[in-house]
Amino acid sequence: MHTPAITGTGVYTPENVITNAELVIAFNAYADRMNAENADAIAAGQVEPMQHSSEEFILKASGIENRYVMDKTGVLDPEIMHPSLRQRTDEEPGIMTEMAVDACRKALEQAGRSAKDVDLVICAASNHERAYPAIAIEIQQALGIDGFGFDMNVACSSATFGIQAAADMVRSGSVRAALVVNPEICSGHLEWRDRDCHFIFGDVATATLIERIEDAKGPHFEIISTRCATAFSNNIRNNNGFLRRSRPDGVADRRDMQFMQNGRKVFKEVLPMVSKHISDHMTAEGFNSGDLKRLWLHQANKTMNDFIGKKVLGREPEASEQPNILQDYANTSSAGSIIAFSKHSGDLEEGDVGLICSFGAGYSVGSVILKRHR
Ligand code: CO8
């Protein structure tokens, strides 16, 4: 058996930023347009008028200030209200591969490794742009990696579940080095026409390189332990899928073909599940809250993270103990906790212990306990 370690991480950040102000202007123009188009039905009481969104609500309810997206022109056009992405031929790299390759190269560079050192690629994300061939295999080919790749999806917990899968394979010896990559194009499955959620998501790709600890060339994080858990819930759901055309109303522009959630219920049900999961995982590995130098949490909601941090540490966490990136990136599904880890882990000292935790649709929760080595 080998000890696995995270030796490098990388973040690909799209060029386009959408501020809350830009988002609200576009949404409100769309709402006004819809209300004008439906004026008679609204006056007759047959259709509810659309209400305006507000910057104040978005910041207060979520802590989100900006989001990065692969395309902003379509999202901000009241006549389109979704990303407009160019058509690619089958011979070109897919958009997920393009994002993933950038993040993977950064992770390899940080670890002082080349693609030839890697023998597994896991593309772990909330959505994959096609059914097959696997995106991971396209990424493998684009980077020039021998070995194998596969896709997996556990929604917001895809990255931590992917890290567990890769760490277990490194531990057993079936692979020597693995890239877990999370290209998340959340803008593609967000309903930008729904004020309850139009502010929630952004796009990004993250990559994590996992190797045998004795192969690490520089500062790294020993993977002490991983733990994953799931419990079925319909409170975060997307009904889009390959059986769509075979159903009577399958081609309709149905609301349930994009991200849907009952945010309040998610908040109430996931919070205790996550706090208990982290505490149980720490206890099982012989750690207590005082041992924890940093928490890198899933980035969905600032209030939620503040609550989890307080529950786990038993006191108000310092901002540096539980760094948030959601104000800049919004919720990037599985990539959020890895962005926080990648950007806020370099200062930890030899022997410091930290924990990555993701949670969301499924429900799912995944945690990774790490120890810093310099
Ligand atoms: N502007 C103004 N008012 C608004 C807006 C808006 N944009 N939106 C809603 N309101 C109104 C509502 O209509 C409501 O009005 P009223 O009281 O009159 O009914 C009022 O504001 C309060 O609305 P909510 O109760 O919905 O507001 P909350 O305080 O609950 O905040 C949140 C909403 C931010 C969604 C919050 O509930 C939340 O963050 N919950 C947790 C959600 C969560 O963590 N989900 C997990 C995320 S899922 C995930 O991370 C990955 C999923 C898989 C990937 C999918 C990728 C696309």
Side-chain angles (χ1 to χ4, degrees):
M1 295 292 252
H2 304 274
T3 301
I6 294 177
T7 54
T9 55
V11 179
Y12 163 79
T13 304
E15 284 172 14
N16 310 298
V17 186
I18 299 180
T19 63
N20 287 348
E22 288 176 291
L23 189 71
V24 167
I25 288 170
F27 179 89
N28 291 350
Y30 170 76
D32 291 344
R33 207 172 135 257
M34 294 310 289
N35 289 342
E37 266 178 34
N38 292 309
D40 292 345
I42 291 169
Q46 294 154 346
V47 170
E48 281 291 318
M50 286 190 70
Q51 293 178 284
H52 277 186
S53 181
S54 92
E55 284 181 65
E56 296 70 35
F57 172 85
I58 294 171
L59 188 61
K60 188 163 175 287
S62 67
I64 295 165
E65 294 170 37
N66 297 302
R67 69 282 298 139
Y68 293 94
V69 287
M70 294 306 284
D71 168 72
K72 68 186 269 187
T73 54
V75 168
L76 295 182
D77 183 339
E79 298 202 10
I80 300 177
M81 300 297 280
H82 58 71
S84 299
L85 302 173
R86 76 178 175 84
Q87 186 68 51
R88 295 175 186 229
T89 66
D90 290 355
E91 283 64 45
E92 290 180 88
I95 187 167
M96 287 180 77
T97 294
E98 199 172 281
M99 295 164 75
V101 161
D102 183 89
C104 288
R105 288 206 171 113
K106 287 173 178 155
L108 288 169
E109 193 184 327
Q110 193 183 72
R113 289 274 164 213
S114 81
K116 287 286 164 227
D117 300 316
V118 178
D119 44 16
L120 167 63
V121 177
I122 300 178
C123 178
S126 294
N127 275 279
H128 294 91
E129 68 181 287
R130 61 168 180 267
Y132 41 81
I135 312 295
I137 304 174
E138 192 182 7
I139 298 166
Q140 177 198 352
Q141 187 206 36
L143 287 168
I145 289 172
D146 296 327
F148 66 106
F150 61 87
D151 292 349
M152 59 182 277
N153 176 0
V154 203
C156 316
S157 298
S158 300
T160 50
F161 279 53
I163 288 172
Q164 168 157 309
D168 284 351
M169 284 190 253
V170 169
R171 192 174 281 114
S172 74
S174 64
V175 304
R176 184 138 196 149
L179 274 165
V180 179
V181 60
N182 324 104
E184 293 284 11
I185 311 182
C186 300
S187 61
H189 42 104
L190 176 56
E191 183 49 271
W192 297 92
R193 298 171 297 183
D194 181 347
R195 82 164 182 161
D196 286 343
C197 68
H198 77 119
F199 55 89
I200 292 182
F201 289 103
D203 302 337
V204 80
T206 48
T208 307
L209 182 67
I210 296 158
E211 304 183 70
R212 294 179 187 177
I213 200 162
E214 66 266 27
D215 289 347
K217 288 182 161 184
H220 55 278
F221 284 89
E222 178 183 348
I223 299 178
I224 304 274
S225 169
T226 59
R227 182 176 280 203
C228 298
T230 50
F232 188 73
S233 167
N234 275 324
N235 285 327
I236 310 169
R237 191 168 169 119
N238 181 336
N239 281 332
N240 215 340
F242 77 103
L243 292 178
R244 191 170 175 174
R245 70 157 190 192
S246 58
R247 293 187 175 134
D249 61 349
V251 289
D253 179 17
R254 274 180 14 199
R255 177 64 189 89
D256 67 334
M257 296 303 175
Q258 308 298 336
F259 165 85
M260 298 184 298
Q261 78 167 350
N262 187 336
R264 280 275 155 108
K265 272 202 168 164
V266 173
F267 206 105
K268 279 203 189 105
E269 294 174 6
V270 169
L271 272 183
M273 180 178 171
V274 172
S275 310
K276 185 171 181 323
H277 178 96
I278 294 175
S279 298
D280 288 354
H281 189 188
M282 295 282 294
T283 305
E285 295 300 330
F287 295 108
N288 60 49
S289 55
D291 298 322
L292 210 51
K293 279 283 178 310
R294 200 152 298 170
L295 268 173
W296 300 281
L297 296 177
H298 176 52
Q299 301 287 312
N301 183 295
K302 184 177 180 308
T303 313
M304 206 167 182
N305 283 3
D306 290 348
F307 185 97
I308 293 168
K310 196 171 168 189
K311 191 93 184 146
V312 169
L313 297 181
R315 59 178 169 79
E316 211 73 56
E318 302 288 329
S320 60
E321 288 179 302
Q322 186 206 288
N324 283 325
I325 54 83
L326 59 82
Q327 64 281 0
D328 302 320
Y329 283 85
N331 182 341
T332 50
S333 196
S334 73
S337 56
I338 306 301
I339 306 174
F341 172 66
S342 184
K343 291 188 182 287
H344 299 281
S345 58
D347 59 320
L348 290 192
E349 301 291 345
E350 173 69 33
D352 282 351
V353 173
L355 182 140
I356 301 175
C357 184
S358 63
F359 45 86
Y363 296 134
S364 57
V365 49
S367 50
V368 183
I369 301 177
L370 299 167
K371 185 181 273 184
R372 177 69 164 171
H373 297 292
R374 301 197 68 98

